[in-house]
Amino acid sequence: MPPMTARIREFLRDRRPEGPCLVVDLDVVRRKYLSFARTMPDTRIFYAVKANPAPEILKALAELGSCFDTASVAEMQMAFAAGATADRISFGNTIKKERDIATAYAMGVRLYAVDCEAEVEKIARVAPGSKVFCRILSDGADAEWPLSRKFGCDPEMAPSVLEHAHRLGLEAYGVSFHVGSQQRNTKAWDAALAAAAGIFREMAERGIRLKMVNLGGGFPTKYLNEVPSVEAYGQAITDSILAHFGNDLPETIIEPGRGMVGEAGVIKAEVVLISKKSADDQVRWVYLDIGKFGGLAETMDEAIRYPILTERDGDAMEPCIIAGPTCDSVDVLYEKTPYALPISLEIGDEVLITGTGAYTTTYSAVAFNGFDPLKAYVI
Ligand SMILES: *Cc1c(COP(=O)(O)O)cnc(C)c1O
């Protein structure tokens, strides 16, 4: 189970915040950053801002020397506000409006993701001379939250995209991929690194020397199951880079989002109702004051299974269906695979949902059904 830190426990005990809320322990974020930095000392870290853009998190990471992977002008502004300089910001979204690229360029950003020639042309028009890296498809196998299909081009196509960039006066800088979020397999980077090395060779034959491999995110958060350590990922990735690039090692960057902040957060929520649908119903329904629209969107298809702690965890357990509070029938968290909770659980009990530092606050609806967006405290 992810840590329920003493600082979070004390905060909840002393402040007793009303309503569901996320509490993030910055010490955990700092420790995670340092373990990435220590494990991959020659790799630059670009924190994926979308995982949790709380200003305190961005500021703490900026102070530690982190760079930032951003997907929009607003995320770039947040990184600047946290103290990052333009040379520490990448515009990593492959789908950008040309006027947003122009704004990023005016702010000094010179590093852009592409996955097709049309995107290269936008950048050449409004961000001349910038560095571009080409994202390649990755199947997302073994990931609990795959990102396949939508982003990236076939590795076979990447050389022509990069050559197009070179011809238009951009710096064809490298290759990127994302092996899928919550990637449990430490060896998942190997196939993509083999493809990247092939693209480097092909480009060299065309007289263009690529420099950088962007290894993306994918580093996991500890939910109900154990996950390999940051060190295990670092070792597997380093081994693959050596195997595929030999002595001619590229610059590397990583873009951890979930792996940086997931374990730093705990959501406090409350049991609103416990009921059965018929007299002989085997499985109880437990309704919380937080659901898919309140920040737990990643329970979609029951993909992410969060640990839920109660004050009665020593008691006998039975399987429950867990649902959120809104009047929308998709607002059910776990039903296909029911979730064991204590039989003694009561209406009004507090529950703690751990491992919720990433992809919660920003996925929460503004006010669906009149429920406030998820409040967050960064301590
Ligand atoms: C979302 C995203 C990340 C972060 O992924 P995690 O699995 O949360 O680490 C990294 N890079 C890009 C381009 C992304 O879109």
PDB file of all heavy atoms in Angstrom, residues 48 50-51 69 92 135 147 178 180-182 216-219 255-259 359, ligand 1:
ATOM      1  N   ALA A  48       5.573  15.682 -15.910  1.00  0.00           N
ATOM      2  CA  ALA A  48       4.367  15.849 -16.734  1.00  0.00           C
ATOM      3  C   ALA A  48       3.329  16.615 -15.923  1.00  0.00           C
ATOM      4  O   ALA A  48       2.656  16.060 -15.053  1.00  0.00           O
ATOM      5  CB  ALA A  48       3.826  14.485 -17.163  1.00  0.00           C
ATOM      6  N   LYS A  50       0.420  17.681 -16.280  1.00  0.00           N
ATOM      7  CA  LYS A  50      -0.996  17.326 -16.227  1.00  0.00           C
ATOM      8  C   LYS A  50      -1.328  16.382 -15.079  1.00  0.00           C
ATOM      9  O   LYS A  50      -2.471  16.331 -14.634  1.00  0.00           O
ATOM     10  CB  LYS A  50      -1.452  16.718 -17.558  1.00  0.00           C
ATOM     11  CG  LYS A  50      -0.988  15.285 -17.818  1.00  0.00           C
ATOM     12  CD  LYS A  50      -1.684  14.768 -19.083  1.00  0.00           C
ATOM     13  CE  LYS A  50      -1.425  13.309 -19.379  1.00  0.00           C
ATOM     14  NZ  LYS A  50      -0.036  13.018 -19.785  1.00  0.00           N
ATOM     15  N   ALA A  51      -0.351  15.643 -14.564  1.00  0.00           N
ATOM     16  CA  ALA A  51      -0.638  14.684 -13.489  1.00  0.00           C
ATOM     17  C   ALA A  51      -1.139  15.394 -12.239  1.00  0.00           C
ATOM     18  O   ALA A  51      -2.043  14.897 -11.547  1.00  0.00           O
ATOM     19  CB  ALA A  51       0.602  13.858 -13.162  1.00  0.00           C
ATOM     20  N   ASP A  69       7.181  18.961 -18.701  1.00  0.00           N
ATOM     21  CA  ASP A  69       6.496  18.582 -19.929  1.00  0.00           C
ATOM     22  C   ASP A  69       5.095  19.181 -19.872  1.00  0.00           C
ATOM     23  O   ASP A  69       4.326  18.863 -18.968  1.00  0.00           O
ATOM     24  CB  ASP A  69       6.416  17.051 -20.037  1.00  0.00           C
ATOM     25  CG  ASP A  69       5.430  16.609 -21.106  1.00  0.00           C
ATOM     26  OD1 ASP A  69       5.530  17.109 -22.242  1.00  0.00           O
ATOM     27  OD2 ASP A  69       4.545  15.782 -20.800  1.00  0.00           O
ATOM     28  N   GLY A  92       5.007  19.210 -25.167  1.00  0.00           N
ATOM     29  CA  GLY A  92       5.053  17.795 -25.502  1.00  0.00           C
ATOM     30  C   GLY A  92       3.799  17.221 -26.133  1.00  0.00           C
ATOM     31  O   GLY A  92       3.752  16.033 -26.430  1.00  0.00           O
ATOM     32  N   ARG A 135       7.354  11.671 -32.027  1.00  0.00           N
ATOM     33  CA  ARG A 135       6.809  10.621 -31.171  1.00  0.00           C
ATOM     34  C   ARG A 135       6.420   9.421 -32.018  1.00  0.00           C
ATOM     35  O   ARG A 135       5.795   9.567 -33.063  1.00  0.00           O
ATOM     36  CB  ARG A 135       5.587  11.150 -30.412  1.00  0.00           C
ATOM     37  CG  ARG A 135       4.964  10.098 -29.527  1.00  0.00           C
ATOM     38  CD  ARG A 135       4.317  10.700 -28.322  1.00  0.00           C
ATOM     39  NE  ARG A 135       3.492   9.737 -27.624  1.00  0.00           N
ATOM     40  CZ  ARG A 135       2.722  10.040 -26.605  1.00  0.00           C
ATOM     41  NH1 ARG A 135       2.658  11.293 -26.170  1.00  0.00           N
ATOM     42  NH2 ARG A 135       1.998   9.118 -26.005  1.00  0.00           N
ATOM     43  N   LEU A 147      -1.920   4.410 -23.484  1.00  0.00           N
ATOM     44  CA  LEU A 147      -2.113   5.664 -24.227  1.00  0.00           C
ATOM     45  C   LEU A 147      -1.896   5.420 -25.717  1.00  0.00           C
ATOM     46  O   LEU A 147      -1.558   6.312 -26.455  1.00  0.00           O
ATOM     47  CB  LEU A 147      -1.094   6.709 -23.760  1.00  0.00           C
ATOM     48  CG  LEU A 147      -1.074   7.048 -22.274  1.00  0.00           C
ATOM     49  CD1 LEU A 147       0.186   7.799 -21.917  1.00  0.00           C
ATOM     50  CD2 LEU A 147      -2.292   7.863 -21.895  1.00  0.00           C
ATOM     51  N   HIS A 178       5.773   6.839 -25.381  1.00  0.00           N
ATOM     52  CA  HIS A 178       5.223   6.650 -24.033  1.00  0.00           C
ATOM     53  C   HIS A 178       4.737   5.217 -23.980  1.00  0.00           C
ATOM     54  O   HIS A 178       3.891   4.816 -24.772  1.00  0.00           O
ATOM     55  CB  HIS A 178       4.077   7.636 -23.784  1.00  0.00           C
ATOM     56  CG  HIS A 178       3.683   7.742 -22.339  1.00  0.00           C
ATOM     57  ND1 HIS A 178       3.266   6.656 -21.609  1.00  0.00           N
ATOM     58  CD2 HIS A 178       3.662   8.796 -21.495  1.00  0.00           C
ATOM     59  CE1 HIS A 178       2.991   7.052 -20.363  1.00  0.00           C
ATOM     60  NE2 HIS A 178       3.225   8.336 -20.269  1.00  0.00           N
ATOM     61  N   GLY A 180       2.878   3.720 -22.029  1.00  0.00           N
ATOM     62  CA  GLY A 180       1.586   3.509 -21.363  1.00  0.00           C
ATOM     63  C   GLY A 180       1.706   3.823 -19.890  1.00  0.00           C
ATOM     64  O   GLY A 180       2.714   3.518 -19.261  1.00  0.00           O
ATOM     65  N   SER A 181       0.659   4.462 -19.361  1.00  0.00           N
ATOM     66  CA  SER A 181       0.742   4.911 -17.973  1.00  0.00           C
ATOM     67  C   SER A 181       0.475   3.746 -17.022  1.00  0.00           C
ATOM     68  O   SER A 181      -0.254   2.815 -17.365  1.00  0.00           O
ATOM     69  CB  SER A 181      -0.248   6.044 -17.739  1.00  0.00           C
ATOM     70  OG  SER A 181       0.109   6.782 -16.604  1.00  0.00           O
ATOM     71  N   GLN A 182       1.051   3.825 -15.820  1.00  0.00           N
ATOM     72  CA  GLN A 182       1.006   2.715 -14.857  1.00  0.00           C
ATOM     73  C   GLN A 182       1.512   1.448 -15.562  1.00  0.00           C
ATOM     74  O   GLN A 182       0.826   0.439 -15.652  1.00  0.00           O
ATOM     75  CB  GLN A 182      -0.419   2.526 -14.280  1.00  0.00           C
ATOM     76  CG  GLN A 182      -0.527   1.530 -13.132  1.00  0.00           C
ATOM     77  CD  GLN A 182       0.183   2.005 -11.852  1.00  0.00           C
ATOM     78  OE1 GLN A 182       0.631   3.115 -11.740  1.00  0.00           O
ATOM     79  NE2 GLN A 182       0.316   1.111 -10.898  1.00  0.00           N
ATOM     80  N   GLY A 216       9.578   9.263 -22.063  1.00  0.00           N
ATOM     81  CA  GLY A 216       8.189   9.417 -21.645  1.00  0.00           C
ATOM     82  C   GLY A 216       7.959   9.114 -20.180  1.00  0.00           C
ATOM     83  O   GLY A 216       8.882   9.108 -19.360  1.00  0.00           O
ATOM     84  N   GLY A 217       6.677   8.844 -19.866  1.00  0.00           N
ATOM     85  CA  GLY A 217       6.303   8.507 -18.487  1.00  0.00           C
ATOM     86  C   GLY A 217       6.060   7.009 -18.379  1.00  0.00           C
ATOM     87  O   GLY A 217       6.722   6.226 -19.042  1.00  0.00           O
ATOM     88  N   GLY A 218       5.089   6.638 -17.559  1.00  0.00           N
ATOM     89  CA  GLY A 218       4.758   5.225 -17.406  1.00  0.00           C
ATOM     90  C   GLY A 218       5.130   4.666 -16.047  1.00  0.00           C
ATOM     91  O   GLY A 218       4.665   3.586 -15.675  1.00  0.00           O
ATOM     92  N   PHE A 219       5.982   5.378 -15.318  1.00  0.00           N
ATOM     93  CA  PHE A 219       6.422   4.890 -14.001  1.00  0.00           C
ATOM     94  C   PHE A 219       5.217   4.832 -13.066  1.00  0.00           C
ATOM     95  O   PHE A 219       4.435   5.770 -13.009  1.00  0.00           O
ATOM     96  CB  PHE A 219       7.528   5.793 -13.449  1.00  0.00           C
ATOM     97  CG  PHE A 219       8.660   5.962 -14.426  1.00  0.00           C
ATOM     98  CD1 PHE A 219       8.685   7.039 -15.299  1.00  0.00           C
ATOM     99  CD2 PHE A 219       9.649   5.008 -14.528  1.00  0.00           C
ATOM    100  CE1 PHE A 219       9.695   7.183 -16.236  1.00  0.00           C
ATOM    101  CE2 PHE A 219      10.668   5.131 -15.464  1.00  0.00           C
ATOM    102  CZ  PHE A 219      10.686   6.220 -16.321  1.00  0.00           C
ATOM    103  N   GLU A 255       9.684  11.692 -18.506  1.00  0.00           N
ATOM    104  CA  GLU A 255       8.561  12.587 -18.211  1.00  0.00           C
ATOM    105  C   GLU A 255       7.610  11.950 -17.195  1.00  0.00           C
ATOM    106  O   GLU A 255       6.452  11.690 -17.504  1.00  0.00           O
ATOM    107  CB  GLU A 255       7.776  12.876 -19.501  1.00  0.00           C
ATOM    108  CG  GLU A 255       8.595  13.544 -20.571  1.00  0.00           C
ATOM    109  CD  GLU A 255       7.842  13.695 -21.889  1.00  0.00           C
ATOM    110  OE1 GLU A 255       6.970  12.839 -22.192  1.00  0.00           O
ATOM    111  OE2 GLU A 255       8.108  14.647 -22.604  1.00  0.00           O
ATOM    112  N   PRO A 256       8.086  11.680 -15.989  1.00  0.00           N
ATOM    113  CA  PRO A 256       7.183  11.032 -15.027  1.00  0.00           C
ATOM    114  C   PRO A 256       6.069  11.977 -14.570  1.00  0.00           C
ATOM    115  O   PRO A 256       6.315  13.151 -14.314  1.00  0.00           O
ATOM    116  CB  PRO A 256       8.108  10.688 -13.850  1.00  0.00           C
ATOM    117  CG  PRO A 256       9.283  11.591 -13.980  1.00  0.00           C
ATOM    118  CD  PRO A 256       9.398  11.971 -15.437  1.00  0.00           C
ATOM    119  N   GLY A 257       4.853  11.461 -14.523  1.00  0.00           N
ATOM    120  CA  GLY A 257       3.713  12.194 -13.979  1.00  0.00           C
ATOM    121  C   GLY A 257       3.198  11.415 -12.785  1.00  0.00           C
ATOM    122  O   GLY A 257       3.447  11.749 -11.627  1.00  0.00           O
ATOM    123  N   ARG A 258       2.511  10.304 -13.084  1.00  0.00           N
ATOM    124  CA  ARG A 258       1.957   9.450 -12.037  1.00  0.00           C
ATOM    125  C   ARG A 258       3.039   8.999 -11.037  1.00  0.00           C
ATOM    126  O   ARG A 258       2.827   9.028  -9.830  1.00  0.00           O
ATOM    127  CB  ARG A 258       1.319   8.219 -12.700  1.00  0.00           C
ATOM    128  CG  ARG A 258       0.533   7.336 -11.760  1.00  0.00           C
ATOM    129  CD  ARG A 258       0.124   6.046 -12.469  1.00  0.00           C
ATOM    130  NE  ARG A 258      -0.638   6.280 -13.687  1.00  0.00           N
ATOM    131  CZ  ARG A 258      -1.945   6.535 -13.733  1.00  0.00           C
ATOM    132  NH1 ARG A 258      -2.648   6.561 -12.633  1.00  0.00           N
ATOM    133  NH2 ARG A 258      -2.552   6.748 -14.892  1.00  0.00           N
ATOM    134  N   GLY A 259       4.195   8.593 -11.569  1.00  0.00           N
ATOM    135  CA  GLY A 259       5.262   8.080 -10.715  1.00  0.00           C
ATOM    136  C   GLY A 259       5.844   9.144  -9.794  1.00  0.00           C
ATOM    137  O   GLY A 259       6.447   8.819  -8.770  1.00  0.00           O
ATOM    138  N   TYR A 359      -3.651  12.645 -11.381  1.00  0.00           N
ATOM    139  CA  TYR A 359      -4.855  12.462 -12.213  1.00  0.00           C
ATOM    140  C   TYR A 359      -6.141  12.398 -11.395  1.00  0.00           C
ATOM    141  O   TYR A 359      -6.979  11.517 -11.626  1.00  0.00           O
ATOM    142  CB  TYR A 359      -4.698  11.221 -13.101  1.00  0.00           C
ATOM    143  CG  TYR A 359      -3.467  11.270 -13.976  1.00  0.00           C
ATOM    144  CD1 TYR A 359      -2.480  10.311 -13.892  1.00  0.00           C
ATOM    145  CD2 TYR A 359      -3.281  12.329 -14.868  1.00  0.00           C
ATOM    146  CE1 TYR A 359      -1.331  10.378 -14.678  1.00  0.00           C
ATOM    147  CE2 TYR A 359      -2.151  12.403 -15.658  1.00  0.00           C
ATOM    148  CZ  TYR A 359      -1.174  11.425 -15.565  1.00  0.00           C
ATOM    149  OH  TYR A 359      -0.056  11.499 -16.342  1.00  0.00           O
TER     150      TYR A 359
HETATM  151  C1  LIG B   1       0.756  12.097 -19.622  1.00  0.00           C
HETATM  152  C2  LIG B   1       2.097  12.141 -20.196  1.00  0.00           C
HETATM  153  C3  LIG B   1       3.194  11.778 -19.425  1.00  0.00           C
HETATM  154  C4  LIG B   1       3.086  11.260 -18.016  1.00  0.00           C
HETATM  155  O1  LIG B   1       2.749   9.933 -17.997  1.00  0.00           O
HETATM  156  P1  LIG B   1       2.732   9.078 -16.635  1.00  0.00           P
HETATM  157  O2  LIG B   1       2.372   7.725 -17.051  1.00  0.00           O
HETATM  158  O3  LIG B   1       1.750   9.740 -15.737  1.00  0.00           O
HETATM  159  O4  LIG B   1       4.107   9.165 -16.068  1.00  0.00           O
HETATM  160  C5  LIG B   1       4.442  11.870 -20.000  1.00  0.00           C
HETATM  161  N1  LIG B   1       4.613  12.318 -21.273  1.00  0.00           N
HETATM  162  C6  LIG B   1       3.565  12.684 -22.035  1.00  0.00           C
HETATM  163  C7  LIG B   1       3.821  13.165 -23.408  1.00  0.00           C
HETATM  164  C8  LIG B   1       2.290  12.603 -21.534  1.00  0.00           C
HETATM  165  O5  LIG B   1       1.256  12.950 -22.309  1.00  0.00           O
END
